[in-house]
Amino acid sequence: MAETPSTDLAALNDIDRLIHEPGRLMLMALLYVVRSADFTFLMSQTGLTWGNLSAHMTRLEEAGYIQVEKSFKGRRPNTMLSLTPQGREAFKIYRRNMKHILDDLPE
Amino acid sequence: MSTSTISLKELERKAFRSAYQDGLMDIYLGGTIASFTVFAETLQSTDGLTTWQRFLIFLAGCVISNLIFWVGKIFITVPRIGQVKFRPARQRRIRTLIIVLSVIVGVQVAIVAFQVALWQIPALRSWLGFPEIPQSMGTLIVAVVGALFVGPGMTVMAYFIDFPRGYYIAAVWSLGVFCLVWFDSALFYLAAGLLIILPGIFLFIRFVIQHPLPPRELLNG
């Protein structure tokens, strides 16, 4: 059954604010399209500084949206980041909600 | 503020293609192609090398190209742009590439085998009703078949591994093979290899300049 378009701006409240922040949105989008990536790759693709990236990652990890896998390659630490199933689902919902809300806006 | 839309598909493609921005793939392919020059028939009649010596030179060229590729990836590219693992769809594309390439190579081998059979067994040629091919026409056919031997394979590879410069490599390589046979000069084939390596070297230098090494304490801490 087709959903009736809502005229209630309160629908915007359903948007996941944790993902909505531009820096975190970039990270979530990037991690959504790959299986996993390390800090250096995320920095080179998003242009975020190490400090910013680290802060966003901590927030997303606390929310259970990303998982951090630490290992060693030889003597060098290697940290790979990936979306958890919960993070993947949250991003899907965020994307659907944003499309849904913005699609019917007049020009 | 940018008004362009964000496409997740394009985002994934951009991330995937970032692996090629260092030019190492071009250097590797160009080096391997250039090494094959040692088997050119024109050289074989003048340089006095045995088949084994020729094979060793070719093998050395391949090993050096391979080493440049892997050492460059491990010690120069990855520390600068990091590492990423892609989703299974990319693996599936590689599997499809292997199947498609196998079919192409199979067809090419069949065509060459048929061609050789026609030349070697005149009875078969007359039985099939093919006219005798004059020497000049024969060279043209070999040149075209040679070019078609390498071009489609490289084009298909470029498509499946999402490597746009692969189309340029396919064209230059095909032209190199054609000219090698048609003009009977190994220089053309060597030039094709160099025309593939040179943009790779340019890209590699640009990559190193544009992506300085991050401070040691930030590397995947």
Side-chain angles (χ1 to χ4, degrees):
Chain A
M1 198 172 81
E3 232 175 285
T4 319
S6 166
T7 54
D8 190 359
L9 279 175
L12 282 167
N13 274 324
D14 294 339
I15 292 295
D16 189 331
R17 286 156 203 243
L18 190 72
I19 300 178
H20 198 59
E21 198 282 331
R24 286 194 289 272
L25 181 54
M26 273 198 283
L27 293 170
M28 288 292 287
L30 197 52
L31 287 174
Y32 185 78
V33 296
V34 301
R35 202 168 73 193
S36 61
D38 68 5
F39 255 67
T40 316
F41 184 82
L42 293 172
M43 274 168 68
S44 71
Q45 291 289 306
T46 60
L48 291 171
T49 62
W50 190 87
N52 264 333
L53 180 63
S54 185
H56 289 317
M57 282 301 172
T58 306
R59 297 276 314 263
L60 292 169
E61 193 183 4
E62 282 168 359
Y65 287 177
I66 62 161
Q67 59 189 13
V68 180
E69 204 177 294
K70 284 180 189 279
S71 62
F72 277 87
K73 272 201 165 178
R75 283 196 207 159
R76 192 175 281 180
N78 183 47
T79 309
M80 294 298 279
L81 305 136
S82 58
L83 284 188
T84 59
Q86 186 192 342
R88 195 161 283 280
E89 190 56 33
F91 186 76
K92 268 187 204 164
I93 293 169
Y94 170 84
R95 197 175 157 211
R96 197 171 53 222
N97 283 345
M98 285 300 285
K99 271 182 97 169
H100 184 72
I101 291 165
L102 298 177
D103 262 3
D104 292 331
L105 279 182
E107 287 291 324
Chain B
M1 194 178 142
S2 169
T3 53
S4 59
T5 55
I6 298 168
S7 157
L8 289 176
K9 208 173 166 186
E10 282 306 313
L11 186 68
E12 194 266 353
R13 181 173 286 172
K14 183 176 165 260
F16 186 77
R17 286 183 177 176
S18 68
Y20 300 128
Q21 63 184 315
D22 56 14
L24 286 171
M25 181 71 122
D26 310 60
I27 296 172
Y28 164 67
L29 289 171
T32 307
I33 290 166
S35 308
F36 202 76
T37 309
V38 77
F39 286 114
E41 209 175 321
T42 51
L43 287 182
Q44 292 190 27
S45 55
T46 55
D47 63 12
L49 293 172
T50 65
T51 306
W52 276 109
Q53 286 168 330
R54 210 176 296 285
F55 185 73
L56 282 177
I57 293 171
F58 169 64
L59 201 66
C62 292
V63 168
I64 290 168
S65 307
N66 232 305
L67 270 178
I68 291 172
F69 181 81
W70 287 111
V71 170
K73 282 283 177 201
I74 293 167
F75 294 105
I76 294 170
T77 307
V78 170
R80 282 172 167 79
I81 62 163
Q83 53 181 322
V84 59
K85 288 176 184 161
F86 288 91
R87 291 169 61 78
R90 286 283 171 191
Q91 300 299 321
R92 282 199 294 274
R93 273 178 83 94
I94 301 292
R95 276 200 294 273
T96 312
L97 167 67
I98 291 167
I99 294 167
V100 173
L101 271 184
S102 308
V103 171
I104 289 176
V105 170
V107 170
Q108 287 171 334
V109 168
I111 289 171
V112 170
F114 181 65
Q115 192 70 51
V116 170
L118 283 182
W119 276 329
Q120 298 296 319
I121 313 166
L124 176 69
R125 194 175 58 229
S126 54
W127 183 68
L128 289 170
F130 283 107
E132 193 169 342
I133 301 164
Q135 177 66 31
S136 60
M137 192 61 113
T139 308
L140 179 66
I141 289 172
V142 173
V144 170
V145 168
L148 288 176
F149 216 84
V150 296
M154 186 63 221
T155 305
V156 166
M157 192 172 138
Y159 172 75
F160 277 102
I161 65 169
D162 226 334
F163 177 48
R165 287 194 305 282
Y167 300 113
Y168 161 77
I169 292 173
V172 171
W173 192 8
S174 301
L175 198 64
V177 171
F178 181 86
C179 291
L180 165 75
V181 178
W182 183 246
F183 296 108
D184 197 19
S185 167
L187 270 181
F188 287 100
Y189 193 76
L190 186 64
L194 293 178
L195 279 173
I196 295 165
I197 294 174
L198 284 176
I201 293 172
F202 170 77
L203 288 168
F204 182 70
I205 293 169
R206 195 181 69 171
F207 172 80
V208 172
I209 293 168
Q210 284 181 348
H211 297 85
L213 205 57
R216 200 173 169 78
E217 60 272 22
L218 299 188
L219 284 175
N220 293 325

